[in-house]
Amino acid sequence: MPFEIVRNDITKMSVDAVVNAANETLLGGGGVDGAIHYAAGPELLAECKTLGGCKTGKAKITGGYNLPAKYVIHTVGPVYRDGKHGEKDLLESCYRESLTLAKENDCETVAFPLISSGIYGYPKDQALEVAVDIIRGFLLENDMTVYIVIFDKSAYKISEKLFSDIAEYIDDNYVDEHTDYNRESMRFNMPMQPAMAEEICECKGMAAPDDLDLKLKRLDESFSQMLLRKIDEKGMTDAECYKKANIDRKLFSKIRSDMYYRPSKPTAIAFAISLELSLDETEDMLRKAGFALSHSNKFDIIIEYFISKGNYNIYEINEALFAFDQSLLGA
Ligand code: AR6
């Protein structure tokens, strides 16, 4: 998955580079900075001393020493005052500069903490929004796996309004398996097979009309075939589709070359989101992979919430899924 939000201690991440939320001296401090220096050992400080500090919004790279990561990218986030002192531009610059350094050093995997959102006081929901925006833009042009590492889940915040809207939607729609039985059994009913439908037409002395013919053929379509057809119909390129789906190129190639590929449910939904399918079309696509959306599952209700609102931003959907402790969309 090119972009992922994970709960972890960043010093434990086995990635090419971890990003450190440092200060302008680059000589260590509290928060994630202290944790990284502690885990990397004194050689990290020795190298940092040779760097001559770093300006706010900029980034510098060192070795990772005793960390599982090969490199540490030190960036200095802004101290948040009131949001009117260029804080957002500076924070955006931290992510951009860090990603550029990672790319220049051939990193394939990079892990970020939520820069400035601790001691420097940047509101967490806004800090997350900035991080996701810049990372998303970067991943449209570059192949890399980027993690946002959340240390303390209770401190993780999406916008209050979105959170309460989704919570309300879940409350309104969440039903236990029992009450949902009828609906579920209807959803899981097998679609009519082409031979069966043809037989019915024959019995009734009817010829199957052209559009029925087409529909019947589509019943036989595999997930992979439907995906490729939809990409064409939407006038998208393959790359546009898999990037928007937060799916990496390798997995997409596998699906493309294997007509019978069975994706996981989050992968199948990620493609439906990327293609901006309606709820019915999404159900159709899921069925091809052997899945359905259900009201006895929070994950499904959250997906339904976003599709029904016409919001197909997979990054926002993943932020919300993470906030509700659900698995994320993508590979
Ligand atoms: N792994 C992942 N995230 C962490 C970890 C960890 N081990 N520890 C803390 N966080 P902060 P800032 C989260 O305060 O706001 C230092 O003294 C934390 O919950 O580390 O940019 C520097 O030297 C928060 O969400 O960085 C500077 O003086 C996020 O990391 C100053 O703090 C950033 O919190 C920088 O402040």
Side-chain angles (χ1 to χ4, degrees):
M1 204 185 309
F3 171 70
E4 221 173 311
I5 307 172
V6 295
R7 193 187 314 187
N8 204 347
D9 173 348
I10 204 163
T11 63
K12 307 268 187 318
M13 295 289 292
S14 291
V15 283
D16 293 330
V18 292
V19 177
N20 180 20
N23 59 59
E24 289 197 345
T25 69
L26 294 190
L27 299 179
V32 75
D33 195 5
I36 286 178
H37 273 274
Y38 181 76
E43 285 167 294
L44 177 62
L45 181 60
E47 187 179 352
C48 283
K49 282 182 179 161
T50 67
L51 298 177
C54 179
K55 291 228 151 43
T56 301
K58 301 284 181 203
K60 291 196 176 171
I61 192 163
T62 63
Y65 301 99
N66 295 334
L67 289 168
K70 194 163 156 203
Y71 300 110
V72 179
I73 294 173
H74 307 261
T75 189
V76 184
V79 175
Y80 189 87
R81 288 162 71 184
D82 52 7
K84 295 176 187 151
H85 288 79
E87 292 95 330
K88 184 162 182 266
D89 288 348
L90 287 166
L91 189 56
E92 285 178 353
S93 167
C94 287
Y95 285 96
R96 263 194 224 101
E97 296 264 328
S98 301
L99 288 165
T100 305
L101 261 183
K103 186 178 167 184
E104 284 167 5
N105 287 276
D106 299 322
C107 296
E108 290 179 356
T109 49
V110 180
F112 281 90
L114 268 189
I115 298 161
S116 280
S117 75
I119 295 166
Y120 281 178
Y122 211 104
K124 290 204 186 266
D125 57 336
Q126 294 172 41
L128 177 67
E129 212 177 291
V130 169
V132 171
D133 268 3
I134 301 302
I135 293 168
R136 178 172 48 179
F138 178 83
L139 289 177
L140 284 178
E141 311 288 329
N142 298 279
D143 281 335
M144 203 184 269
T145 298
V146 180
Y147 299 92
I148 289 185
V149 182
I150 303 296
F151 190 46
D152 172 12
K153 176 71 200 307
S154 64
Y156 175 84
K157 280 215 175 107
I158 57 172
S159 101
E160 296 275 342
K161 161 113 184 57
L162 181 61
F163 191 90
S164 59
D165 271 6
I166 296 173
E168 196 178 315
Y169 193 84
I170 292 174
D171 276 352
D172 287 351
N173 291 282
Y174 200 54
V175 285
D176 64 38
E177 238 142 352
H178 247 31
T179 24
D180 213 21
Y181 177 74
N182 283 336
R183 186 186 165 119
E184 282 303 290
S185 62
M186 275 170 65
R187 279 169 198 260
F188 282 107
N189 271 345
M190 289 297 289
M192 198 189 288
Q193 294 303 307
M196 248 158 79
E198 268 161 27
E199 220 170 276
I200 292 170
C201 286
E202 248 171 52
C203 288
K204 294 192 170 179
M206 292 156 42
D210 283 354
D211 64 333
L212 179 59
D213 242 16
L214 189 66
K215 279 187 185 146
L216 293 176
K217 278 195 190 110
R218 284 188 182 163
L219 281 182
D220 279 343
E221 227 183 13
S222 68
F223 173 84
S224 152
Q225 288 170 322
M226 179 175 179
L227 172 65
L228 299 177
R229 171 171 66 81
K230 284 284 178 195
I231 292 175
D232 286 347
E233 282 175 12
K234 300 273 171 180
M236 290 172 99
T237 63
D238 288 356
E240 276 165 359
C241 179
Y242 67 71
K243 286 196 168 181
K244 211 170 146 206
N246 194 31
I247 300 280
D248 66 37
R249 186 166 32 92
K250 281 187 216 133
L251 176 61
F252 182 83
S253 306
K254 233 190 251 173
I255 299 175
R256 185 173 238 309
S257 59
D258 179 359
M259 172 178 160
Y260 298 108
Y261 187 89
R262 292 293 286 268
S264 68
K265 188 170 175 183
T267 299
I269 292 179
F271 280 116
I273 297 291
S274 162
L275 291 160
E276 303 196 358
L277 301 186
S278 67
L279 216 42
D280 281 349
E281 290 172 312
T282 301
E283 297 260 18
D284 199 15
M285 185 169 234
L286 280 176
R287 249 191 311 267
K288 306 271 179 201
F291 304 111
L293 289 177
S294 132
H295 274 192
S296 53
N297 179 337
K298 265 191 203 172
F299 173 89
D300 291 3
I301 298 173
I302 295 172
I303 298 302
E304 194 180 293
Y305 167 88
F306 278 93
I307 295 178
S308 66
K309 299 263 171 205
N311 182 343
Y312 292 99
N313 183 334
I314 203 153
Y315 289 79
E316 248 177 65
I317 299 173
N318 275 344
E319 285 170 41
L321 287 170
F322 187 83
F324 284 90
D325 286 321
Q326 302 299 308
S327 33
L328 305 190
L329 293 183

